[in-house]
Amino acid sequence: MKPFAYRRATDARSAVATVAADPDAAFLAGGTNLVDHLKLGVACPSLLVDVSDLAADLVEHLPDGGLRIGAGTRNSDLAAHPVVRAHYPLLSEALLSGASGQLRNAATTAGNLLQRTRCGYFRDATAPCNKREPGSGCPAVAGHNRHHAILGASPDCVATHPSDLAAAMVALDATAVVLGPDGERRVPIGGLYRLPGDDPTRDTVLAHGELITAVELPAPFGGRARYRKVRDRASFAFALVSVAAAVRMHDGVVEDLRLVFGGLAHRPWRAAHAEDALRGSAPTEVALRAAADAELLDARTLSGNGFKVPLARNTLVSVLRELTDGAAEPEDDA
Amino acid sequence: MTGFEVRVNGRTHDDAPRPGQCLRTYLRGHGWFGVKKGCDAGDCGACTVHVDGTPVHSCLYPALRADGKQVTTVEGLATDGELHPVQEQFLAAQGFQCGFCTAGFLITAAALDDEGRADLPRALKGNLCRCTGYRAIEDAITGVKHVEEPADGEAVGRNLGAPAGPQVVTGTARYTFDVDVPGLLHIKLVRSPHAHARITGIDTAAALAVPGVRVVLTHEDAPQRLYSSAQHEIVEDDPCDTRVFDDVVRHVGQRVAAVVGETEAAAEAGARLVRVDYEVLPAVTDAHAAMRPGAPVVHDKDPVEARIARPADNVLAELHDEFGDFAAGLAEADAVYRGTFRTPRAQHAALETHGALAWFDAETGRLTVRTSTQTPFLTRRSLCALFDLPESDLRVVAGRVGGGFGGKQEMLVEDVVVLAALRLREPVKLELTRSEQFSGSTTRHPFTVEVEVGAKADGTLTALRVHVVSDTGAYGNHGPGVLFHSCGESIAAYRCPNKRTDAYAVYTHNVPSGAYRGYGLGQVIFAVESALDELAHRLGIDPLLLRERSAVRDGDPLTTASGAEEDLLIGSYGLDQCLDVVRAARAEPVGPVPGGWLVGDGAALSMIATAPPRGHFGEARLRLLADGTFELSVGTAEFGNGSTTVHRQLAASALGVATSRVSIRQSDTDLVRHDTGAFGSTGVVIAGTAVLRAAEAMVGALLGAAAERSGVDVSRCALVGRGVDCGGRVVPFSELAAGEPLTTTGHCDGTPRSVAFNVHWFRLAVDPGTGEVRVLRSVHAADAGQVLNPMQCRGQVEGGVAQGFGAAVAEHVDTGADGAVTTAAFRQYHVPTFADVPRTEVHFADVTDPLGPLGAKSMSESPFNPVAPAYANALRAATGVRFTDLPLTRDRVWLGLSRD
């Protein structure tokens, strides 16, 4: 680990000012991702500004029926929150499908959303990686890429975003409240994440020094929702494919729906084509398959991840079948 | 930083943490050694502590954050001398083996609420155990009691707890690194970024300029002498191809230099600044390509001196033998199956990484090496040979070893600490990181096995041939041993008049392979058991029936393609009982299956010699202490396999005393004469025999001494618990201890050898849509001879099955085109978690072996071996697809189904 300075922030504004003024500074929240990266030499900040004392761990009702979640709310507390369990079960499901009890006890809401990819080359400080060292190359394109992206990737980076929570937040149309040196702005989570393009170093649209202070959820979507994660083993593995879905039915027709894939792209992948194909339609098997195929039409596979296309299609169809016809399926991957 | 204060287990520490220090190192630095380092990345849970009552990974918790908080480690779970209920429960169920993960499990379990206890697969996601297979942990948390307290002298065959149990559950068991050595210096290794290169220069100036860096050691400081990192009784069995630091690197991750610093941080900073110039050379990372003409030569050495079969062809060792007439046998067959099977690199993943400390005794000047090893005596011999030290000048000792699985039958760190200690004359330590463990220690040998097998219509085998290519990686170490063993019991397990073997252990520029549970057998058994199963399907016979017809029977000679091994025989035979267990399980109703899923079942068998060939020596010494108790010293090491428990049972039973009257010392070259050590499944059969002999000799010595003391004829003297009844008067042992010192020894030379059997059976359901497989039932039948401790032996079986299950479905160390390991963390390398491992029903055959102690056989490596083929065979039955490449991950299963 390289030496660094450490400061404990007492208010968000000065924390933002400090980090914004120093290009080598970084925020430290729960630390479950960043401390690991410090040890691996993947992250080498010269200054850490600890934001865990900012008391940003409140979960409050909003006047419009929505919910405001403090950025520092621990993953374990959020998953167990009675309002979240009752009205946003997708969040609980997504959170509990990931990590372990010990990690959720330490990891925060914003930290979870901003966690970095688990691409093995990114995490290996001795390997080339355009995300870590721009211009050094992407060994995953011709290397081990079983876990890598099939949607929206670029020749420079084929990493996937690892967060289960992020996929669920996108499906819930959540908004991040962001504090920057010039004040506060609101960024829909759907627009928070970037595709890699020719600058994979940036995972999100946030500028250096911007700090997520809260996440706001709109009033509950209603209908039924499900987070389903397909992975190599029963627990403690990142998604090969995940689906965050919410569906509202009316008279046998899909009134509205939100579909998001995790594990397929550099960002949670809002399946807008599939949504459009199904909105207002009867969810027949043929329609579900066609919707999934429409979304995956642009999928580009690598040597090791071709299986993700049919796996994503089958998983989406299976989740939609469950949400639209009431026939509960066996629990997958709890 | 001022005003830092943390309360740990009720005690206050107020010295500020170093910048960047995580809570784990802070706690260990203050002597809380119960907090373990297993991965340093939040994956394994061995470092779990409570911060204000909430379990967190202390490796990812910045120590500064603990300011003003209450921290509880495993040492703080007990209050006022009363164990916490979970500690009692882990003792009662013996929910541990090596115990390295146990503190983390205890801390996690202690904080569980009812919801967590009702959903253990989810609640225990953050804690890995490599030894137990989790059933014992589940029993512990749910309050099942297994431990018995038998009457004096009746310990054998009963469920005794491990002698170290109370220390394990209180966090006071001392593992390799749990010692406080004043003035300890730290070593960090510089490793090669190239698969094959010649070092043309090393510039250490910048590293030496780092404050606190004491020395940088390179190939110029290392002995020229070549050795093998493998440890065996006969040194000449292993190739001589390794230097402490070489001027040629042969795999990415090979150690190039050691930086010794006053702190880990200084050593690490120095290591980053060592500049190495390389002349990059061509490399080969595929074993088949390595054997082709013109391939880069990995070891350009003299074949005789280096003990390499054909260095120019990269062939380290080879075997070409035929028994009977294979071609004629094939011609006689009604059906023939030929298939090629592949098994990947796998990691032992013992939760304690490799590491060692070395220091000089202040008074005697004698060097002590404390190391995580399975072989203290062999390691001492290797170190003495390497550094020209007399054995009397070196003591090698192991603390409690946090898992081995074969990986610690290897000298991977001790040579470096001795080199540094001899140079500096100061205490030094080297502890590998988890990532170094993956890229710079050893792995299971990847095998490609072609099998050709022919049979008559009734399933009688007529011909069996295997063609084996084993990738030994950049160094040979266990390559020959693993290769020869792989083609031994795997082939000898079947009656077949015509057998042929062609086998090659091949050098490549990959991370070296090494000894791994099963020692090659598992790889070839996967191939042979899969091939026989497929042959049965093609003949239209029940695969179990084919095995019943063609497996060896009691009284059969054991023949491989090389003929019979002279000291190996079926000393006792329980395979028939094992197969009966599977037949009965299979006949029971299937139970509920998800709609649309495919269901099938399959079995595989395995045989293993109860000890390694060519000599394995066990040594034990028993001493009567002044208080009338006994001290048992054994040379072999314990790394969680439970051999120490059995040793105490054997000694106590022979002496007719309670096990609490026998204390144990072990794994220390000062204790006994030479002992080969803990590998080859020898803990019970060989070391146990030595213990039994020492105890039997002690019985004679006690009776003799009592007769002499009492004047009563020895024929009227008998042991009675705490003394000797001499014609009515009891002479207490403590009285005998006052006379001539009573010490006896026991020795076992490990020959002749018997065989043990294992049969595994799975019933699986497969979702054709996603490739997801669920285990509906898992049954394991074992012929362990007389089972000396059923609870522990069951745990050994379950742990072996879990490791085999990981190998079957999940584990693979991946390497890039340059051989660099790309799966260097538990996040990527999937050791099975609680949720992954199916519960296995374990059955023991009722068998008594005439060769093992009190009828026992080995049961350590072997339960691993039949698991993967049983799984593949069940998949075949369910899906009609023969899967030939491990591991059987979901995408492979799914792709296999879609190809069909």
Side-chain angles (χ1 to χ4, degrees), chain B residues 26-206:
Chain B
Y26 184 86
L27 292 170
R28 287 184 59 84
H30 287 79
W32 302 110
F33 290 126
V35 184
K36 294 289 184 279
K37 174 180 177 181
C39 69
D40 206 23
D43 294 332
C44 80
C47 69
T48 305
V49 300
H50 292 165
V51 176
D52 286 347
T54 303
V56 295
H57 295 297
S58 60
C59 68
L60 292 181
Y61 198 95
L64 274 168
R65 284 247 174 99
D67 184 19
K69 303 207 190 278
Q70 304 268 352
V71 173
T72 307
T73 72
V74 67
E75 291 101 329
L77 274 183
T79 42
D80 304 329
E82 288 280 308
L83 291 185
H84 186 283
V86 298
Q87 292 173 307
E88 295 279 11
Q89 287 164 228
F90 268 72
L91 274 181
Q94 293 283 293
F96 58 85
Q97 284 181 24
C98 85
F100 198 81
C101 71
T102 307
F105 272 99
L106 287 165
I107 288 284
T108 303
L112 289 181
D113 55 13
D114 289 343
E115 198 180 343
R117 270 187 296 272
D119 188 4
L120 291 179
R122 187 172 285 211
L124 298 178
K125 278 166 80 169
N127 293 84
L128 291 178
C129 169
R130 188 52 154 174
C131 296
T132 63
Y134 299 101
R135 190 274 314 158
I137 292 173
E138 179 172 27
D139 281 357
I141 295 175
T142 56
V144 178
K145 183 174 165 64
H146 293 294
V147 169
E148 301 178 290
E149 279 155 21
D152 292 1
E154 292 174 12
V156 163
R158 307 293 293 277
N159 296 334
L160 271 290
Q167 288 79 46
V168 167
V169 302
T170 51
T172 52
R174 288 292 172 251
Y175 295 78
T176 312
F177 311 113
D178 301 340
V179 286
D180 186 13
V181 180
L184 191 64
L185 304 175
H186 300 265
I187 301 176
K188 289 285 171 187
L189 296 172
V190 177
R191 293 181 178 276
S192 166
H194 301 294
H196 191 197
R198 182 176 309 282
I199 294 171
T200 54
I202 301 184
D203 180 355
T204 60

Side-chain angles (χ1 to χ4, degrees), chain B residues 333-363:
Chain B
D334 293 320
V336 172
Y337 170 74
R338 183 155 76 184
T340 302
F341 299 83
R342 290 174 195 86
T343 62
R345 233 170 233 102
Q347 236 292 328
H348 310 81
L351 282 189
E352 182 189 53
T353 58
H354 280 89
L357 300 88
W359 65 84
F360 287 91
D361 186 280
E363 283 165 26

Side-chain angles (χ1 to χ4, degrees), chain A residues 192-213:
Chain A
L192 176 69
Y193 297 100
R194 296 177 68 251
L195 290 179
D198 58 6
D199 182 12
T201 58
R202 294 174 59 213
D203 295 347
T204 70
V205 300
L206 298 184
H208 178 74
E210 284 194 308
L211 176 72
I212 297 180
T213 55

Side-chain angles (χ1 to χ4, degrees), chain B residues 759-795:
Chain B
V759 180
H760 199 94
W761 175 80
F762 282 114
R763 178 173 279 138
L764 305 176
V766 185
D767 178 359
T770 61
E772 183 184 350
V773 180
R774 282 188 205 163
V775 176
L776 300 178
R777 211 166 155 204
S778 169
V779 174
H780 192 101
D783 168 16
Q786 280 297 303
V787 178
L788 302 181
N789 186 326
M791 169 185 67
Q792 258 196 195
C793 198
R794 178 184 172 196

Side-chain angles (χ1 to χ4, degrees), chain B residues 17 21 221 227 249 297 311 344 383 471 569 676 690 768:
Chain B
Q21 187 171 30
D221 306 284
Y227 64 94
V249 290
V297 174
L383 288 170
D471 179 352
L569 58 129
T676 306

Side-chain angles (χ1 to χ4, degrees), chain A residues 135-324:
Chain A
S136 61
C138 176
V141 170
H144 291 286
N145 48 39
R146 215 176 138 254
H147 287 268
H148 288 73
I150 59 169
L151 290 169
S154 78
D156 289 337
C157 181
V158 292
T160 55
H161 200 274
S163 171
D164 296 299
L165 179 66
M169 285 288 194
V170 172
L172 292 169
D173 263 348
T175 299
V177 181
V178 176
L179 185 66
D182 304 323
E184 194 171 278
R185 66 175 179 134
R186 301 166 59 79
V187 182
I189 303 273
L192 176 69
Y193 297 100
R194 296 177 68 251
L195 290 179
D198 58 6
D199 182 12
T201 58
R202 294 174 59 213
D203 295 347
T204 70
V205 300
L206 298 184
H208 178 74
E210 284 194 308
L211 176 72
I212 297 180
T213 55
V215 177
E216 292 185 357
L217 302 176
F221 180 70
R224 301 170 64 188
R226 183 87 164 84
Y227 187 78
R228 188 166 182 191
K229 180 170 175 178
V230 180
R231 50 186 146 177
D232 281 332
R233 58 173 178 175
S235 76
F236 210 32
F238 291 93
L240 295 169
V241 173
S242 70
V243 171
V247 180
R248 219 163 48 222
M249 296 290 291
H250 186 71
D251 278 350
V253 166
V254 176
E255 184 184 67
D256 198 6
L257 77 170
R258 310 250 183 79
L259 301 176
V260 180
F261 280 120
L264 298 190
H266 194 259
R267 67 180 189 207
W269 189 267
R270 181 79 179 253
H273 295 299
E275 289 180 9
D276 292 346
L278 286 173
R279 197 173 286 109
S281 308
T284 62
E285 187 72 16
V286 172
L288 299 184
R289 282 171 193 263
D293 286 339
E295 193 61 50
L296 295 163
L297 200 61
D298 293 331
R300 295 287 174 271
T301 60
L302 302 160
S303 56
N305 66 2
F307 70 94
K308 281 192 172 187
V309 177
L311 186 61
R313 185 191 61 207
N314 292 354
T315 308
L316 183 65
V317 168
S318 151
V319 168
L320 285 171
R321 209 185 284 140
E322 176 193 340
L323 293 180
T324 54

Side-chain angles (χ1 to χ4, degrees), chain A residues 1-6 8 28-33 35-40 50-53 74 76 85 92-93 95-106 115 118-121 123-124 144 146-147 228-238 240 304 306-311 313-315 330-334, chain B residues 1 19-22 24 40-45 48 54-62 64-67 104 108 115 119 121-123 125-128 265 268 272 435 594 597 767-772 774 809-810 812 814-816 820-822 825-836 889-892 894-895:
Chain A
M1 196 185 293
K2 293 198 173 157
F4 55 85
Y6 171 90
R8 200 174 265 193
L28 174 70
T32 57
N33 196 213
V35 173
D36 191 23
H37 284 176
L38 293 173
K39 292 185 181 188
L40 292 171
D50 191 337
V51 292
S52 58
D53 288 345
R74 306 283 156 185
S76 48
R85 282 186 157 193
S92 286
E93 273 189 54
L95 282 166
L96 295 177
S97 77
S100 64
Q102 292 97 315
L103 289 171
R104 289 194 296 270
N105 286 337
Q115 64 182 297
R118 264 29 176 232
C119 172
Y121 299 105
R123 287 170 52 80
D124 175 359
H144 291 286
R146 215 176 138 254
H147 287 268
R228 188 166 182 191
K229 180 170 175 178
V230 180
R231 50 186 146 177
D232 281 332
R233 58 173 178 175
S235 76
F236 210 32
F238 291 93
L240 295 169
F307 70 94
K308 281 192 172 187
V309 177
L311 186 61
R313 185 191 61 207
N314 292 354
T315 308
E331 185 78 3
D332 182 69
D333 299 330
Chain B
M1 184 84 201
Q21 187 171 30
C22 69
R24 186 202 63 235
D40 206 23
D43 294 332
C44 80
T48 305
T54 303
V56 295
H57 295 297
S58 60
C59 68
L60 292 181
Y61 198 95
L64 274 168
R65 284 247 174 99
D67 184 19
T108 303
E115 198 180 343
D119 188 4
R122 187 172 285 211
K125 278 166 80 169
N127 293 84
L128 291 178
E268 211 176 278
R272 272 198 300 269
S435 125
W597 290 47
D767 178 359
T770 61
E772 183 184 350
R774 282 188 205 163
V809 307
H812 52 103
D814 291 338
T815 53
V821 171
T822 58
F826 284 144
R827 210 58 76 88
Q828 280 120 349
Y829 186 84
H830 287 171
V831 168
T833 66
F834 186 100
D836 298 314
T889 51
R890 286 183 186 183
D891 51 327
R892 280 198 176 154
W894 185 83
L895 285 169

